[in-house]
């Protein structure tokens, strides 16, 4: 699997606060703004996660126009805020102007993305996309016409670049699939490193892995359904004690577009109680900072291998490196499509484990992050 880094494209990711955190700090967050993270996968999205996100720069058009996007393994559509949009969210962000690109063209096909606070509508077009030295001609891109409520007013990005499977792309050919069709990559894989220390230094690589970003071997799990990057969970332990919650099987979506670890709702109360967390008015779970050393290690069994999460991984920090004393675990009512309990392995998990997404063999790889 390792491919020479000199031919792998490395996109640096920059840390920003999430929409929810921006709203909270401005005094705009209300209890009604808490939304089940699992709604993302039922075509109803949400102001995703209360803490940090990691965005990278792409450019599109001729001459190129540059934008921050969320590289999201939990969705498939690539879209940008555009000059076609007159919503409030489009008044405080850079906008893609297709009329200034000589390589843009459109077939006037519209698209719709559902969100918890409204709907994003737009038109699909095509243009030349540039990602850190990769040039991708005729890439489909959604241009926003309306953006919902205040979901994106407080966002620090101008679009989302979906990296899930094409069955989720509303007829658009996803960026990864275009790269595969055009044979642009030495291997049809991409990988994420999310900095443990909340510092800049995170990255996504296309075409291979960055061996300096992990230690030991990569352990693989097959994709169980080619919609999201979904895998099976065989067990879940608290301080090495098996809970039995996945005795009959669980599923997990490995999602860079979710900042948290999301637990099946039927187990959330038990899990927060085990770690000593209590809910506040925002739907967040607060932890006594002094108890960190006494909190349990959580562990997932994935394809026969245990992946532990120490308390420092699932307890959130503020920008100065001190603890917010907030649990990085939330719940979802959404089951997997086969009815098994569903976990979402978001950035809380991905900061601990370097993650490889392999479209050649339809598997996800995990290695201990360096």
């Amino acid at each position: 699997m390792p491919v020479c880094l000199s031919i792998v494209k490395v996109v640096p990711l920059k840390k920003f606060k999430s929409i929810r955190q921006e709203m909270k700090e401005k005094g705009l967050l209300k209890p009604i703004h808490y939304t089940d993270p699992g709604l993302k996968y039922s075509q109803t999205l949400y102001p995703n996660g209360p803490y940090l996100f990691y965005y990278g720069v792409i450019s599109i058009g001729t001459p190129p126009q540059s934008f921050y996007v969320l590289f999201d393994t939990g969705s498939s559509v690539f879209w940008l805020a555009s000059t076609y949009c007159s919503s409030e969210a489009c008044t405080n962000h850079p906008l893609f102007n297709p009329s200034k690109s000589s390589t843009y063209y459109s077939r006037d096909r519209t698209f719709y993305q559902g969100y918890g606070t409204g709907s994003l509508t737009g038109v699909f077009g095509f243009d030349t996309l540039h990602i850190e030295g990769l040039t991708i001609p005729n890439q489909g891109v959604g241009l926003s016409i309306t953006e919902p409520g205040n979901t994106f007013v407080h966002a620090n990005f101008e679009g989302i670049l979906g990296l899930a499977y094409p069955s989720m792309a509303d007829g658009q050919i996803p960026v990864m699939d275009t790269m595969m069709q055009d044979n642009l990559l030495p291997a049809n894989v991409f990988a994420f490193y999310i900095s443990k220390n909340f510092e800049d230094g995170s990255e996504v690589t296309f075409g291979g892995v960055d061996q300096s970003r992990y230690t030991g071997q990569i352990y693989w799990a097959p994709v169980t359904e080619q919609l999201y990057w979904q895998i099976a969970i065989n067990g879940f332990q608290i301080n090495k004690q098996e809970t039995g919650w996945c005795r009959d099987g669980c599923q997990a979506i490995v999602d860079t577009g979710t900042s948290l670890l999301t637990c099946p709702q039927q187990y959330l109360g038990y899990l927060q109680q085990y770690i000593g967390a209590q809910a506040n008015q925002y739907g967040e779970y607060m932890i006594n900072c002094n108890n960190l050393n006494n909190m349990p290690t959580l562990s997932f069994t994935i394809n026969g291998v245990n992946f532990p999460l120490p308390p420092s991984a699932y307890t959130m920090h503020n920008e100065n490196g001190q603890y917010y004393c907030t649990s990085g675990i939330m719940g979802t009512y959404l089951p997997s499509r086969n009815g098994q309990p569903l976990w979402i392995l978001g950035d809380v998990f991905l900061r601990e484990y370097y993650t490889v997404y392999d479209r050649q063999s339809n598997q996800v790889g995990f290695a201990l992050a360096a």
Side-chain angles (χ1 to χ4, degrees):
M1 173 57 61
V3 176
C4 178
L5 193 58
S6 63
I7 59 176
V8 171
K9 301 303 179 183
V10 180
V11 182
L13 301 179
K14 186 174 177 61
K15 175 189 70 175
F16 288 98
K17 296 173 185 175
S18 73
I19 298 169
R20 183 179 171 90
Q21 187 66 14
E22 290 280 359
M23 293 175 67
K24 182 178 180 181
E25 293 183 2
K26 294 173 182 176
L28 301 174
L29 188 66
K30 307 297 181 186
I32 60 171
H33 290 128
Y34 169 74
T35 310
D36 182 344
L39 292 178
K40 176 176 183 177
Y41 312 108
S42 62
Q43 303 301 307
T44 307
L45 305 191
Y46 63 106
N48 191 333
Y51 300 101
L52 302 174
F53 278 131
Y54 301 85
Y55 310 128
V57 175
I58 57 93
S59 59
I60 188 168
T62 308
Q65 303 171 45
S66 295
F67 304 97
Y68 274 110
V69 298
L70 172 65
F71 288 89
D72 181 19
T73 61
S75 66
S76 300
V77 171
F78 169 42
W79 67 266
L80 292 170
S82 81
T83 53
Y84 296 152
C85 176
S86 57
S87 302
E88 182 183 1
C90 296
T91 62
N92 63 346
H93 289 90
L95 304 176
F96 175 55
N97 188 341
S99 67
K100 292 186 176 180
S101 172
S102 63
T103 46
Y104 176 82
Y105 63 97
S106 176
R107 294 176 182 156
D108 297 322
R109 191 171 73 82
T110 59
F111 74 98
Y112 163 92
Q113 292 279 285
Y115 287 82
T117 54
S119 60
L120 183 147
T121 63
V123 60
F124 278 134
F126 300 85
D127 211 333
T128 301
L129 174 64
H130 304 275
I131 303 178
E132 201 66 33
L134 280 171
T135 297
I136 309 165
N138 302 306
Q139 173 59 49
V141 56
L143 277 61
S144 70
I145 295 175
T146 63
E147 298 190 15
N150 59 12
T151 300
F152 295 109
V153 172
H154 305 285
N156 290 301
F157 59 88
E158 288 79 57
I160 294 176
L161 195 154
L163 291 167
Y165 281 85
S167 51
M168 293 293 300
D170 197 18
Q172 183 192 66
I173 298 177
V175 172
M176 185 65 186
D177 288 78
T178 304
M179 289 193 280
M180 291 165 60
Q181 291 176 13
D182 293 348
N183 295 312
L184 297 178
L185 302 174
N188 292 329
V189 303
F190 58 92
F192 276 83
Y193 169 77
I194 306 297
S195 173
K196 284 184 182 180
N197 298 319
F198 297 86
E199 299 171 351
D200 293 334
S202 303
E203 66 181 35
V204 54
T205 61
F206 289 95
V209 301
D210 183 346
Q211 292 177 282
S212 70
R213 296 302 196 180
Y214 67 91
T215 61
Q217 73 178 84
I218 298 173
Y219 297 94
W220 296 97
V223 171
T224 55
E225 187 170 11
Q226 293 178 25
L227 291 170
Y228 312 101
W229 290 94
Q230 183 172 313
I231 60 173
I233 300 288
N234 313 120
F236 179 72
Q237 301 85 35
I238 300 175
N239 267 352
K240 299 183 179 181
Q241 297 298 310
E242 179 59 55
T243 62
W245 296 349
C246 296
R247 181 183 299 109
D248 297 321
C250 290
Q251 296 289 302
I253 294 172
V254 187
D255 186 4
T256 60
T258 294
S259 64
L260 302 172
L261 174 69
T262 299
C263 169
Q265 189 67 37
Q266 63 265 40
Y267 305 131
L268 180 66
Y270 297 110
L271 183 53
Q272 301 289 17
Q273 183 177 3
Y274 275 122
I275 67 174
Q278 295 183 332
N280 68 7
Q281 69 269 31
Y282 298 111
E284 301 167 325
Y285 283 82
M286 309 308 294
I287 295 170
N288 185 330
C289 302
N290 295 323
N291 287 342
L292 186 66
N293 291 334
N294 301 317
M295 289 164 58
T297 294
L298 311 179
S299 185
F300 292 91
T301 303
I302 301 173
N303 204 21
V305 178
N306 288 337
F307 294 90
L309 287 179
S312 59
Y314 62 80
T315 303
M316 308 308 294
H317 307 72
N318 68 16
E319 284 196 316
N320 295 322
Q322 302 300 314
Y323 291 119
Y324 267 128
C325 302
T326 305
S327 168
I329 304 168
M330 295 181 82
T332 179
Y333 287 98
L334 187 74
S336 62
R337 284 160 58 101
N338 69 2
Q340 292 181 343
L342 179 69
W343 299 77
I344 304 171
L345 304 182
D347 291 347
V348 164
F349 184 88
L350 302 180
R351 276 189 288 270
E352 290 294 305
Y353 295 100
Y354 186 81
T355 312
V356 187
Y357 303 78
D358 181 358
R359 283 291 300 274
Q360 290 183 173
S361 302
N362 294 308
Q363 58 185 353
V364 182
F366 302 100
L368 189 64

